[in-house]
Amino acid sequence: MIKNYITIALRNLMRARQYTLINVIGLGIGLAAIVWAFQIYRFSFSFDDFHPDQERVFRALSTKEGNDAPMGFFPMPAVQLAKGDFSSIEAAVRIRHNTVDVKAGKNEPFMEPILFTDLDFFSVFNFPLLKGQNDLNDRSAILITEEIATKYFGDEDPIGKEMVLYAGTEFPKPLTVKGVLKNTPNNSTISFKLLTNYENLQHGDGTPAKPDEWNSMLDAAFFKLKTPEDAGRLAADFKKYLPLQNAARADWKMTGFSLVSLKEHAQMSDISVNHLEERPKDSAIFGPLVLGLLIWISTCLNFTNTTVARSNQRLKEMGVRKVMGGRRSQLTTQMLLECFAIVVMAFGVAVFLNSLWLPSFSSMFFIEVRAEYLTDGVLLAFIGLAVVLTTLLAGAYPAFYISRFNPTQIFKGSVKFGDTSLFSRLLLGLQVSIAMITVIGSLGFAENAEFQRTYDYGYDRENVVNIPTQNASELAAMKAAVQQIPGVEAVAGTHALIGFNLPWRTIEAEGQIKEGSVYSIGADFMEVMQMKMVEGRAFDPKLESDFDNALLVNETMAGNFGWTAAAAIGKTIRLDTQNFTVVGTMKDFHGTMLFGTIDPAAMRLVRPEAASNLVLRAKPGEVVSVFDQSKAVWEKLFPMKPYRGYYQNEVAAEAMRVTTGISAVNRLFAIITLLLTATGLYALVSLTLLKRMREIAIRKVMGASSINIVALVNKRYFWIFLFGAAIGCFGGFALTKLLMDMIFKINSGLNPATLAISIAILFLVAVATVGVKVWGVLRTNPAEVLKGD
Amino acid sequence: MINLKNIERFYRTGIQKTWVLKDVNLSVKQGEFLTIMGPSGSGKSTLLNIIGMLETPDAGEYLFLDEPVFQFNERKRTELHKHYIGFVFQAFHLIEELTVYENIETPLLYRGVKKAERQSMVADLLDRFNIVGKKDLFPAQLSGGQQQLVGIARAIIGKPKLLLADEPTGNLHTSQGEMIMTLLKELHNEGMTIIQVTHNEKFATYGTRIIQLEDGFVRRDEEMRDEG
Ligand SMILES: Nc1ncnc2c1ncn2[C@@H]1O[C@H](COP(=O)(O)OP(=O)(O)O)[C@@H](O)[C@H]1O
Ligand SMILES: [Mg+2]
């Protein structure tokens, strides 16, 4: 019996090749889309789930005066003290990331991210060792990942090789490679390429880190507890370290601690100052989820509609089967089996599509999505479910509906099924809505990309190059040299750079405690960056007092304290223990990427000897050549040190990449949904025409013009199309705006023109699709159609 | 009114040509009631379709009201269909989704006739054909004869000069057929030019002239002596 079903199913599919092909490809796209969305979802919620004893490992977070948000920082000496002070702590791990110059063999030095940590690291976390040993007790040991092993040593055995870390440039620290670790997985909040004992940490002046440096902050601290219930009490007990800590850091007064489990911390997206990796933002998880579901539904709708359309041609077959004694359930089974066969083939297409799509998506968004169909049980279960659901969603309606009729009805021709069905047209309307949503998403984010490209950050980001150096004398030498480059318009030394570090701190004035960024800048910095004053004056390096107690605030900070730009002048602001006088109010500028709003900010003046970063502004259009020339200059001055210069415009790069990426993904999906809508529409219109061929011929003979006929055929689709487009407009507008706001605090929003263009695009696609089909009918001779009777 | 000269029509089957009409010459004057007869497959319908401008012959000349039909464009043909020519089919070809009233009304819609005028025109015809009571029924609810009445009403509502009827009684019982033929005769008496195809010798006598098609030629062409 089963064999008979299958033979018939395959034969039917072979016979209707066009139908089979369209649906195998269509559903393949739909399945690929939900597998993609599902894998992103799983990846995002799998962070740090690969460590043993999960429930007993906790991350310590701190809170800071003036800000209730939990922060990733933790006082460095408190970790080892706590391990001694509290018996419920089984293991304690300090985590400190640094970027250092690393030299091995004859290679030039590279900058590498390195992790300084404790002996307990490998008893708390699971980062598998591939070769050698991972005993951090050995102070001379450095552990490296496979990636680093290949990069520095190629095919050679890295064990026993020497690697030299540099603090600054003068202070080498030679270490020996003792072990090779697997690369850290992408769903790990702790990520490193090199790893060594915390005691190997050197400060910029070459002094080793000491265990009691209370002014030193950890990026993260982890504790493994004997009993997880102790966490709350322990966090409260940690308060006993506050006095020591706050005495050492008057600028960073902590108010308390909390312990959150490993699982919980991996899901937190509101940890401020978090230097560990984070799971993708909600928008990056739920955006694809919505998009994937929409595509999948759209492909299912298409499947249903084309199946219904085809069923009409099979009514007679069904009638005959019934007369021959086929039971309804058998007919239903037969039809569902055919659907199932298509879905299974479609899955093959999905696997192929995702083998292309997943890697390109991963590289676009740095969200790792992979699909290992053979080894991933959860994924397999999901796919099984998806295949069954797709079969039922797409095949159930036609299968149950068509098998319901009795044969005499069918033979008499009184069963009408397909084009007149409101159900089919509603499905089409839904497809139109979905296509509309993706088209709006694609155009909306393209618009946002243009908005971001031309957005005024409040300073010149196009022509500025930043060149970090390591001390004032390097800076002075470099400054003198770049001034000789003809394309350079202005140069300044500074401590802080805009957009790349966020000197966030507590700020006090008139009894109010607020937060904001305080940038320590060189005298000519604002001139180079082309930042503008609104009120008062800029810094004057000739006034000694400006170095001591002058402050500039931006409009936002003035506003936060309740001052107008003019009223801010002359006010006293307290930073740590020192009082400053506001001498000018600056025009607002965007100190971060467009993901955030404009921050309240203040500037103070630093003396040249405290500056280590060089900023230069090139003449318009010459920034690339200036960049290359300054690199050449650097390499001549400091042949042994890597050049670290970068374009100021990189501040915009990340936001731009995200926007254009989203626009590209939406564009791809828009094309797919438009194609799906077009095939759906084509199938329905074909059916309508097939059914109404005779009527159209009669009407033509009675004098109907082509326009009359086009109107006749389209009447039944026009309203549903309009309805779908209207819903799609609202949905597309709301979803796109929501996604934009989730990702970018500053965005272009959606222009009414974008909606109008989206409607026009959809309309054109529909008109073209229907036009092709109707044109053919208009061309046929009515006599030909009416002859048969 | 109609002038056909050396009309040829053939179908190609592979490299071979099958001739349907070989050399048809025919002229029909205004006010004639012409009957086309001939065995099945002799090309009667083809000829009628050519006259009705639904088909184009492969050779020959066709003057309709002294104008060369083959030079007409699509629009002009549609115009002629609207204003000069009405069709009646063997299979009635009513639109199933429309009521009797709506079926008859349809040609007027394409002529852009005002609603009030449409109503009175359709009402007149319903009255004349005695089917007022059926106006809200659908074609499937009517007998064959009634359906053909509707078909004729629809064909003549636009007051065409020429009525083409391809076996109008072919699907009807004799009594119903007679009713239809009487009606056609009446229309003819009122001045309408009619060309009909029929197999029925008796029904052929309702007309004023009979031609016999055979092997693609007009074999016989005779005027009826008016016996009545
Ligand atoms: N599209 C076509 N292809 C081939 N032969 C055709 C086609 N249409 C009609 N014929 C042939 O033309 C001949 C005349 O058809 P028709 O005019 O319908 O005959 P009648 O109405 O006298 O029975 C028939 O033999 C028919 O088979
Ligand atoms: Mg015929």
Side-chain angles (χ1 to χ4, degrees):
Chain A
M1 194 63 194
I2 296 281
K3 199 170 157 232
N4 178 266
Y5 277 140
I6 292 172
T7 337
I8 293 172
L10 290 181
R11 248 182 236 160
N12 269 327
L13 295 179
M14 275 305 284
R15 201 171 324 135
R17 260 184 224 119
Q18 198 188 353
Y19 159 86
T20 308
L21 196 72
I22 283 182
N23 282 310
V24 165
I25 294 174
L27 286 175
I29 292 170
L31 285 172
I34 45 164
V35 165
W36 163 70
F38 180 67
Q39 291 299 82
I40 290 180
Y41 183 89
R42 282 179 69 208
F43 169 72
S44 306
F45 292 107
S46 72
F47 269 64
D48 285 356
D49 70 353
F50 51 88
H51 300 300
D53 298 333
Q54 295 245 8
E55 64 290 350
R56 292 203 288 129
V57 178
F58 289 82
R59 180 171 178 190
L61 299 170
S62 59
T63 47
K64 174 177 174 264
E65 203 174 59
N67 188 338
D68 290 336
M71 299 202 186
F73 279 177
F74 195 79
M76 190 272 277
V79 176
Q80 296 302 343
L81 284 181
K83 193 181 176 188
D85 290 351
F86 303 100
S87 59
S88 53
I89 298 177
E90 181 182 308
V93 178
R94 294 174 293 178
I95 300 277
R96 168 86 174 247
H97 288 291
N98 265 21
T99 302
V100 296
D101 290 348
V102 176
K103 201 168 149 31
K106 288 186 288 290
N107 292 329
E108 276 183 48
F110 291 104
M111 286 191 285
E112 301 289 0
I114 180 164
L115 184 69
F116 295 97
T117 190
D118 288 310
L119 307 181
D120 287 343
F121 186 81
F122 288 101
S123 68
V124 174
F125 300 115
N126 171 27
F127 291 105
L129 181 74
L130 292 177
K131 197 187 253 184
Q133 47 92 358
N134 62 4
D135 182 8
L136 289 174
N137 231 337
D138 179 352
R139 297 296 137 88
S140 71
I142 185 165
L143 306 179
I144 61 176
T145 59
E146 308 159 73
E147 182 192 334
I148 291 291
T150 320
K151 178 170 170 185
Y152 284 83
F153 307 108
D155 297 336
E156 289 174 57
D157 184 1
I159 305 294
K161 290 271 183 349
E162 180 178 81
M163 293 185 101
V164 186
L165 311 186
Y166 287 88
T169 34
E170 290 94 81
F171 309 104
K173 176 121 202 156
L175 296 170
T176 310
V177 178
K178 290 286 170 67
V180 178
L181 300 168
K182 260 176 94 165
N183 289 336
T184 50
N186 283 313
N187 59 348
S188 174
T189 60
I190 300 168
S191 155
F192 57 86
K193 291 182 179 170
L194 302 141
L195 188 121
T196 189
N197 192 299
Y198 200 94
E199 289 175 22
N200 290 327
L201 177 68
Q202 287 179 298
H203 295 300
D205 57 5
T207 53
K210 292 182 289 294
D212 60 346
E213 283 168 355
W214 283 97
N215 58 355
S216 187
M217 294 286 191
L218 292 173
D219 291 325
F222 290 90
F223 295 96
K224 188 172 194 170
L225 306 185
K226 296 200 173 102
T227 44
E229 296 75 30
D230 290 344
R233 199 165 35 81
L234 209 55
D237 289 347
F238 281 176
K239 278 201 169 166
K240 73 178 199 177
Y241 303 119
L242 282 177
L244 270 170
Q245 162 66 23
N246 289 344
R249 287 292 294 267
D251 65 316
W252 195 279
K253 284 209 155 64
M254 289 188 174
T255 53
F257 303 99
S258 59
L259 285 175
V260 296
S261 70
L262 199 58
K263 202 183 183 84
E264 204 182 328
H265 112 95
Q267 287 317 316
M268 285 171 82
S269 55
D270 59 345
I271 302 179
S272 75
V273 210
N274 182 19
H275 291 176
L276 299 190
E277 301 295 323
E278 287 177 349
R279 70 159 165 91
K281 298 260 176 290
D282 284 352
S283 54
I285 305 168
F286 295 104
L289 206 61
V290 170
L291 212 52
L293 276 174
L294 286 180
I295 296 273
W296 178 63
I297 292 172
S298 184
T299 55
C300 286
L301 299 183
N302 219 27
F303 187 28
T304 309
N305 260 349
T306 44
T307 307
V308 167
R310 202 172 84 89
S311 304
N312 225 32
Q313 297 161 22
R314 294 185 62 186
L315 272 174
K316 202 159 244 153
E317 174 199 332
M318 288 293 154
V320 173
R321 283 179 188 281
K322 279 201 168 178
V323 172
M324 294 190 312
R327 269 182 295 115
R328 190 174 164 196
S329 64
Q330 289 169 334
L331 299 184
T332 311
T333 310
Q334 177 71 54
M335 291 201 57
L336 281 178
L337 200 74
E338 287 181 31
C339 286
F340 181 72
I342 286 186
V343 177
V344 168
M345 285 190 272
F347 177 64
V349 172
V351 169
F352 171 73
L353 288 178
N354 269 347
S355 73
L356 304 173
W357 167 236
L358 297 186
S360 48
F361 177 81
S362 300
S363 66
M364 222 180 331
F365 288 93
F366 301 120
I367 293 175
E368 200 194 57
V369 262
R370 258 185 305 197
E372 274 143 13
Y373 303 97
L374 297 180
T375 53
D376 189 339
V378 179
L379 179 60
L380 276 181
F382 175 77
I383 286 167
L385 189 72
V387 164
V388 171
L389 260 181
T390 306
T391 306
L392 288 179
L393 194 69
Y397 175 76
F400 293 112
Y401 192 86
I402 198 174
S403 57
R404 204 185 61 192
F405 296 109
N406 75 43
T408 45
Q409 279 175 313
I410 294 175
F411 294 144
K412 264 203 328 218
S414 64
V415 175
K416 282 194 207 78
F417 182 47
D419 76 319
T420 45
S421 139
L422 183 65
F423 179 80
S424 297
R425 277 181 287 144
L426 279 181
L427 295 191
L428 183 74
L430 212 60
Q431 274 193 311
V432 169
S433 302
I434 291 172
M436 196 78 195
I437 290 171
T438 53
V439 169
I440 290 176
S442 144
L443 292 180
F445 274 93
E447 190 185 317
N448 195 43
E450 184 56 24
F451 167 82
Q452 290 186 353
R453 201 179 61 73
T454 54
Y455 179 77
D456 181 5
Y457 278 63
Y459 60 83
D460 185 344
R461 65 188 157 94
E462 306 277 342
N463 302 307
V464 170
V465 175
N466 299 325
I467 307 169
T469 67
Q470 272 161 341
N471 51 49
S473 67
E474 263 182 41
L475 177 75
M478 189 60 188
K479 188 173 171 185
V482 294
Q483 270 166 333
Q484 306 305 313
I485 300 174
V488 172
E489 221 165 48
V491 189
T494 184
H495 178 75
L497 293 168
I498 289 183
F500 301 100
N501 40 25
L502 200 59
W504 199 246
R505 55 198 298 175
T506 310
I507 296 164
E508 202 180 330
E510 296 181 337
Q512 310 178 64
I513 295 178
K514 307 271 178 189
E515 289 195 307
S517 303
V518 180
Y519 296 89
S520 302
I521 61 170
D524 299 324
F525 180 75
M526 286 180 56
E527 204 287 308
V528 171
M529 300 302 282
Q530 309 230 293
M531 303 174 96
K532 307 243 165 18
M533 299 298 298
V534 190
E535 288 289 341
R537 62 174 179 86
F539 290 127
D540 181 355
K542 289 200 269 313
L543 291 175
E544 191 58 24
S545 61
D546 267 16
F547 289 103
D548 298 332
N549 59 17
L551 203 67
L552 304 178
V553 294
N554 71 354
E555 295 162 295
T556 302
M557 177 168 290
N560 276 5
F561 282 112
W563 306 328
T564 63
I569 314 294
K571 297 279 185 193
T572 302
I573 285 182
R574 189 182 170 84
L575 299 174
D576 309 338
T577 54
Q578 210 184 338
N579 281 334
F580 289 80
T581 305
V582 178
V583 299
T585 308
M586 309 165 58
K587 196 171 164 298
D588 267 341
F589 63 94
H590 211 107
T592 55
M593 298 183 276
L594 296 184
F595 300 113
T597 49
I598 290 182
D599 287 328
M603 305 266 168
R604 53 179 294 193
L605 188 60
V606 292
R607 292 175 200 279
E609 53 279 18
S612 60
N613 288 311
L614 186 70
V615 290
L616 63 83
R617 190 177 76 243
K619 292 187 179 124
E622 295 188 32
V623 69
V624 174
S625 109
V626 163
F627 183 89
D628 293 341
Q629 291 178 62
S630 61
K631 182 165 195 263
V633 164
W634 175 277
E635 279 160 359
K636 212 185 233 158
L637 282 176
F638 311 107
M640 286 310 289
K641 301 175 189 174
Y643 176 68
R644 299 161 197 260
Y646 55 93
Y647 295 102
Q648 177 67 32
N649 212 6
E650 279 178 25
V651 74
E654 169 80 1
M656 199 63 189
R657 199 178 51 71
V658 170
T659 296
T660 46
I662 293 173
S663 177
V665 171
N666 268 281
R667 190 160 54 242
L668 177 71
F669 282 22
I671 291 170
I672 292 169
T673 51
L674 280 175
L675 281 177
L676 289 171
T677 309
T679 26
L681 189 60
Y682 190 85
L684 283 197
V685 169
S686 305
L687 192 71
T688 301
L689 291 176
L690 197 73
K691 261 202 70 193
R692 308 185 79 182
M693 206 68 152
R694 200 182 63 99
E695 179 191 340
I696 289 168
I698 297 168
R699 286 178 184 270
K700 269 170 94 173
V701 167
M702 291 193 301
S705 66
S706 303
I707 293 172
N708 295 141
I709 301 296
V710 171
L712 178 78
V713 175
N714 286 322
K715 202 171 60 193
R716 59 191 334 125
Y717 297 112
F718 183 74
W719 292 110
I720 203 78
F721 187 91
L722 216 61
F723 180 66
I727 291 184
C729 253
F730 282 116
F733 184 89
L735 285 175
T736 306
K737 183 71 185 134
L738 180 74
L739 191 62
M740 263 190 205
D741 287 344
M742 271 169 96
I743 304 173
F744 303 108
K745 285 287 167 332
I746 304 240
N747 63 56
S748 64
L750 276 168
N751 198 320
T754 307
L755 294 186
I757 295 172
S758 307
I759 294 172
I761 289 177
L762 218 66
F763 203 75
L764 273 179
V765 168
V767 166
T769 311
V770 176
V772 168
K773 199 66 207 181
V774 173
W775 177 245
V777 168
L778 290 176
R779 305 286 307 174
T780 48
N781 185 345
E784 207 63 46
V785 180
L786 298 176
K787 203 181 264 173
D789 304 280
Chain B
M1 185 183 212
I2 290 166
N3 225 322
L4 296 171
K5 276 190 208 136
N6 313 109
I7 295 294
E8 288 182 19
R9 184 83 173 107
F10 53 80
Y11 291 102
R12 235 178 261 280
T13 36
I15 43 163
Q16 210 164 349
K17 284 181 190 172
T18 320
W19 298 86
V20 180
L21 302 175
K22 272 194 193 131
D23 183 20
V24 173
N25 292 286
L26 180 69
S27 65
V28 181
K29 287 189 283 296
Q30 200 127 11
E32 275 191 291
F33 187 165
L34 177 79
T35 304
I36 304 173
M37 298 191 74
S40 232
S42 60
K44 305 181 296 293
S45 296
T46 307
L47 181 58
L48 207 67
N49 286 339
I50 288 172
I51 294 172
M53 298 171 209
L54 295 176
E55 261 183 68
T56 313
D58 299 294
E61 211 180 306
Y62 176 14
L63 298 180
F64 184 81
L65 297 171
D66 299 325
E67 286 186 82
V69 170
F70 304 148
Q71 287 162 29
F72 296 168
N73 60 18
E74 176 82 25
R75 177 169 304 181
K76 172 97 185 186
R77 269 180 226 187
T78 305
E79 280 306 298
L80 286 172
H81 283 159
K82 273 194 219 169
H83 299 294
Y84 290 91
I85 306 173
F87 289 90
V88 177
F89 304 96
Q90 174 177 0
F92 322 134
H93 286 329
L94 300 179
I95 297 172
E96 282 163 38
E97 290 82 2
L98 302 183
T99 62
V100 165
Y101 180 95
E102 289 161 346
N103 262 291
I104 299 175
E105 184 191 31
T106 307
L108 297 180
L109 292 175
Y110 295 135
R111 284 164 179 74
V113 177
K114 295 257 158 36
K115 183 162 187 203
E117 204 179 331
R118 288 203 307 263
Q119 279 174 338
S120 78
M121 288 170 80
V122 177
D124 281 353
L125 271 183
L126 288 170
D127 196 28
R128 171 171 182 185
F129 288 8
N130 263 322
I131 46 174
V132 178
K134 311 262 186 273
K135 77 177 170 62
D136 293 323
L137 296 183
F138 287 92
Q141 297 166 292
L142 302 177
S143 74
Q146 287 164 337
Q147 287 193 40
Q148 194 59 301
L149 278 180
V150 176
I152 294 174
R154 188 181 63 181
I156 65 167
I157 186 122
K159 304 200 166 60
K161 302 268 178 303
L162 174 66
L163 184 67
L164 302 175
D166 193 348
E167 304 194 37
T169 57
N171 284 7
L172 301 178
H173 302 300
T174 321
S175 61
Q176 288 180 324
E178 262 164 15
M179 171 183 75
I180 294 298
M181 288 315 297
T182 316
L183 185 61
L184 288 182
K185 177 100 182 143
E186 259 176 60
L187 290 171
H188 172 239
N189 289 342
E190 287 164 18
M192 196 175 283
T193 311
I194 299 177
I195 303 178
Q196 70 155 341
V197 171
T198 187
H199 286 292
N200 188 315
E201 295 283 347
K202 180 162 179 242
F203 291 165
T205 61
Y206 281 73
T208 57
R209 178 183 169 196
I210 296 175
I211 63 167
Q212 187 83 28
L213 273 187
E214 241 182 86
D215 302 333
F217 297 101
V218 179
R219 280 281 165 227
R220 193 179 67 150
D221 185 347
E222 55 182 310
E223 298 280 334
M224 304 289 292
R225 277 168 302 276
D226 203 346
E227 287 150 1

